[in-house]
Structures are given as structure tokens and as C-alpha cells.
Amino acid sequence: MASAADVEIKVILSGDTTEAAGELLGLDPEDGKRRAIYFWDRPWLDGDTVRLPLLDAGAVIRLRLDEDGDKGDLTAKRRPCDPDTLPEDWRESREGEDWEFTVEEDWAGRDRVWAASLKVDGRYERPADDGSEQPELSRDQRMLLSTAEVAAAALDDLTALGPIRAVRWKAARRDLIHPIVAELWTVGDELRFLELSLRSEPGVASLAQHLLERGLGDLGLGPPARQVLKTRQAMTALARARARV
């Protein structure tokens, strides 16, 4: 299974670099798909540190909603995970009419992390401003998260963190060899992340990563030696903001 799973290659830029990168890549905000993104966890403050127990256990719950409506997708994800520890029928990607299960390896710089996610398309309520709205997880999504040794009770009484304002583009550039997907996250008034990604078969993933990073370097957008963990940084910032309310 591992040798056949796709690789998602990512380059994550942050801070002031995101605006310059958007201009160089021709990412027009009017052309992108706008969404609101929410995560759920049970955040608590440990002195100056924000604890995110679900994320720390490798369990992620994410809702993406179209900006102008309630259509979107709810995803339960194991990241990181060892695919060999998943139940046998959860070890390869598959999809149905309104759902998709994916097992893949995420590459960001030298980091290599396996992830398994179950995405369900549908219409979802926008979480309440007080964060009390609970995710509408399916039985299979709860089952997947349970493989991260997350107890069923830990998936109740969660806090919604968001919204993150997101814009997504599919960009094709000959100088970058592969078509890329670009997604800009804006968290509050301070944090901005631009993720550039592409999917590759495992046998040519190293070459694809090299060509992507070299192409970006030629544009003056060489990725940092250590990629930021945008999900953790975003969730931490949102949890801090909610604690101050």
C-alpha cells in the first residue's frame, strides 16, 4: 500500500513573503475560490502555552465552507499516522458518492509525514460565534479518529476554532513544470500562510519536489529550510484569541 500511495509535496511560505509570492505567481484574489475554515479541539492554557490535545494525539477535525453558503466538506484526519497500524480496510484510498478516503504521504522540505483522511461533502451549519457548535462527524469518521487512541468522550464538548479566511487557486505555469495548487490562509490580522502544493506518484516524487523548489527559487521564492506547521500555528492563535474573549 505505502509504495502505491500518492505523495503531496508542499512549500509553505509565511508572513510578508506571502504577498510577494502572490504577485509573482499571478494569484488574483478575485479569481480564487473563497472559503472559511474551522477546526475543533479542546484547547486549554497551561501557563503561556496553548494545549491542543486532539492535535497532539494526531487527530484533526476540519470544516471548510464556501464563503457564500453552507456547502462544504467536513474532514476527520489522522496526521501523523502509521498506515500499517490502521485497520486493514483503511489502508488504501477509495471514494463514494459524497465521500473520499485518502491515504498519502505529505512532504514539506525534509519532513515526511503519513496522513489518512475521510472527507464528507455536504451542507453544514456555520459554527456559532461562541465556539460551541459541535462537528457532525459520521460513524466512520469517529472510527478513524479512534485509531489515534482518541476516546469517544474526547470527541464531545469540543470548541470550534475559526474562521480562517482562505483563498484557493489552481495555477498552471510552465516555469514550475507541474501545475500547482495555491492556498492562502489569513488568521486574524497577523498570521498569513501561502501553501503551494502538487501531487505526485511516489516513484517520481523526489524529482517533482526538486523541480518545484528549484522553480520557486528561480522566482526568488526559495522555501525556508524548515517549513512552518500552519495548522498548529493557526489553531494556537485562534485558541489564544478565544481565551481572551
Side-chain angles (χ1 to χ4, degrees):
M1 183 282 302
S3 62
D6 282 347
V7 175
E8 184 173 21
I9 298 165
K10 301 177 180 179
V11 172
I12 304 169
L13 307 173
S14 61
D16 295 338
T17 307
T18 60
E19 184 173 352
E23 292 178 358
L24 286 168
L25 295 172
L27 303 178
D28 185 343
E30 299 302 320
D31 295 336
K33 180 178 180 180
R34 295 180 176 274
R35 296 188 290 194
I37 299 177
Y38 297 83
F39 291 93
W40 275 269
D41 211 306
R42 306 181 76 173
W44 58 281
L45 291 178
D46 182 9
D48 294 331
T49 302
V50 174
R51 301 295 183 185
L52 298 164
L54 289 189
L55 187 62
D56 290 340
V60 178
I61 303 171
R62 181 195 67 204
L63 174 66
R64 299 186 295 198
L65 289 173
D66 291 349
E67 186 180 61
D68 299 327
D70 58 0
K71 186 178 180 181
D73 56 70
L74 180 66
T75 296
K77 178 181 289 191
R78 283 281 323 275
R79 185 182 188 278
C81 78
D82 179 353
D84 291 335
T85 66
L86 295 173
E88 188 171 350
D89 56 348
W90 290 87
R91 295 181 187 177
E92 61 182 39
S93 299
R94 60 191 191 278
E95 60 184 297
E97 182 177 350
D98 60 357
W99 60 272
E100 181 179 12
F101 177 69
T102 304
V103 180
E104 64 187 6
E105 193 173 13
D106 292 342
W107 290 15
R110 296 181 179 179
D111 293 335
R112 307 283 189 269
V113 178
W114 281 96
S117 61
L118 178 55
K119 176 175 70 74
V120 179
D121 298 325
R123 296 189 178 276
Y124 296 94
E125 294 289 335
R126 194 170 298 270
D129 290 340
D130 63 3
S132 62
E133 198 78 28
Q134 298 300 293
E136 303 172 34
L137 294 169
S138 69
R139 183 189 64 179
D140 285 341
Q141 287 177 321
R142 286 178 173 268
M143 186 181 302
L144 175 63
L145 294 177
S146 73
T147 66
E149 299 184 358
V150 174
L155 299 178
D156 298 323
D157 195 24
L158 299 174
T159 298
L161 300 173
I164 297 167
R165 300 189 302 278
V167 188
R168 185 179 177 89
W169 302 265
K170 290 185 178 180
R173 292 179 59 104
R174 292 183 178 179
D175 53 343
L176 293 181
I177 309 298
H178 288 73
I180 62 171
V181 173
E183 185 166 72
L184 175 67
W185 281 15
T186 302
V187 186
D189 297 324
E190 299 179 1
L191 287 181
R192 288 166 64 85
F193 305 99
L194 180 64
E195 179 182 278
L196 308 173
S197 64
L198 61 85
R199 293 186 181 277
S200 171
E201 296 180 356
V204 294
S206 293
L207 176 60
Q209 183 180 48
H210 169 72
L211 293 174
L212 174 63
E213 293 181 350
R214 188 181 70 181
L216 291 173
D218 291 343
L219 292 173
L221 298 173
R226 188 71 176 177
Q227 303 282 300
V228 299
L229 300 176
K230 73 181 193 308
T231 297
R232 179 173 291 278
Q233 288 198 37
M235 291 178 67
T236 298
L238 291 166
R240 281 191 195 282
R242 182 161 296 283
R244 293 195 293 267
V245 174

